[in-house]
Amino acid sequence: MNLSLATFVLSITTTSAFVIPNNNALFATSKLNIASSEETATAPPERIAPDAGYEPEWENRPGLPNEEFLQSDTDKPDLSGMWECPLTRWDSDDIDIVAAQKEAANTLQCPLEIRASDEDAKIGSDYFKQNKEHIREELLKHGAVWFRGFDLMKSVKGHREMYESLGLDPCLDPLHSSGLRKFTSERDALYEEVNKPSLRGHYIGLHCESTAKRTAA
């Protein structure tokens, strides 16, 4: 009797292992397969950064300790009340797109790199005073100037000496009201770097850079 009961239980257990799944299980499996297919079909394409065409050499020059970098010349006036960034003036009438494209193909390198020699770095702000007119002319030609290898601009104080030696008037950043840009030293009109860690993870899509308003987009 015990043997028969054991055989009966074994038969039920073995049979249930090969039972066809119920309708709910089939529906769940089918739904999962459909969802996977939809995710594959609608997955966004991989974003590939365009070739910049020019990649500057990375120098990895050491900076100053924070306490030294942040020192400001308190004998100079506080510039916290800076005027706002000038509005961009647009004239979109009668633009020849084909001609503009040809002109852009022959555009000078931007930014222009001005690399300091050992002697240039030693004389500090005097370099910018002596070369003021030349640097301002190059700025108009190229649209931007990138100073490299100058020890003067490693500090807040030195950065101010540089732009004052060139006769440049500071103004608020166009993105000032958006909260994306913060000051390193407001009294010296010096903002934090754009590629700081808290902003590096942001993806900025195609947008109009200059507008008739002081806004972020």
Side-chain angles (χ1 to χ4, degrees):
M1 184 66 180
N2 292 338
L3 180 59
S4 299
L5 180 59
T7 303
F8 179 71
V9 172
L10 178 61
S11 297
I12 293 176
T13 305
T14 305
T15 304
S16 65
F18 296 93
V19 171
I20 297 176
N22 59 33
N23 290 337
N24 289 336
L26 284 173
F27 178 76
T29 304
S30 176
K31 186 176 181 181
L32 179 61
N33 290 338
I34 293 173
S36 298
S37 299
E38 289 179 349
E39 289 176 2
T40 302
T42 59
E46 181 184 359
R47 295 176 187 247
I48 301 176
D51 183 7
Y54 166 70
E55 187 171 339
E57 178 186 355
W58 174 249
E59 294 184 339
N60 198 28
R61 299 174 68 237
L64 299 175
N66 276 351
E67 58 274 11
E68 187 176 350
F69 161 71
L70 292 172
Q71 284 182 0
S72 177
D73 187 348
T74 55
D75 292 332
K76 291 189 175 183
D78 189 337
L79 301 179
S80 299
M82 285 177 285
W83 59 304
E84 292 187 326
C85 170
L87 297 174
T88 301
R89 293 184 179 180
W90 288 99
D91 180 9
S92 58
D93 298 331
D94 303 321
I95 293 179
D96 187 336
I97 300 298
V98 175
Q101 290 174 335
K102 291 180 180 179
E103 182 180 353
N106 297 320
T107 300
L108 297 172
Q109 178 181 317
C110 178
L112 170 68
E113 287 188 32
I114 296 182
R115 189 181 293 270
S117 65
D118 292 340
E119 185 59 33
D120 295 335
K122 286 179 182 178
I123 62 177
S125 60
D126 285 341
Y127 171 86
F128 298 97
K129 294 174 183 176
Q130 295 168 10
N131 295 278
K132 173 182 175 180
E133 298 305 323
H134 172 70
I135 293 173
R136 291 175 67 105
E137 288 175 4
E138 293 299 299
L139 177 61
L140 291 175
K141 287 181 187 177
H142 295 263
V145 175
W146 182 12
F147 298 115
R148 306 190 67 181
F150 290 88
D151 294 327
L152 178 68
M153 287 88 83
K154 284 185 175 183
S155 67
V156 167
K157 177 182 175 181
H159 193 276
R160 180 167 178 170
E161 287 183 41
M162 177 271 293
Y163 70 72
E164 288 181 340
S165 297
L166 291 175
L168 301 178
D169 297 322
C171 65
L172 293 176
D173 189 285
L175 298 182
H176 178 78
S177 60
S178 71
L180 292 177
R181 300 297 303 277
K182 294 181 179 180
F183 283 107
T184 293
S185 175
E186 186 172 3
R187 74 178 313 278
D188 295 295
L190 182 61
Y191 283 91
E192 290 182 341
E193 69 273 24
V194 180
N195 64 335
K196 62 181 182 178
S198 62
L199 292 179
R200 288 175 190 166
H202 290 271
Y203 175 78
I204 302 175
L206 185 64
H207 64 285
C208 183
E209 185 63 43
S210 298
T211 68
K213 298 181 180 180
R214 301 181 185 92
T215 56

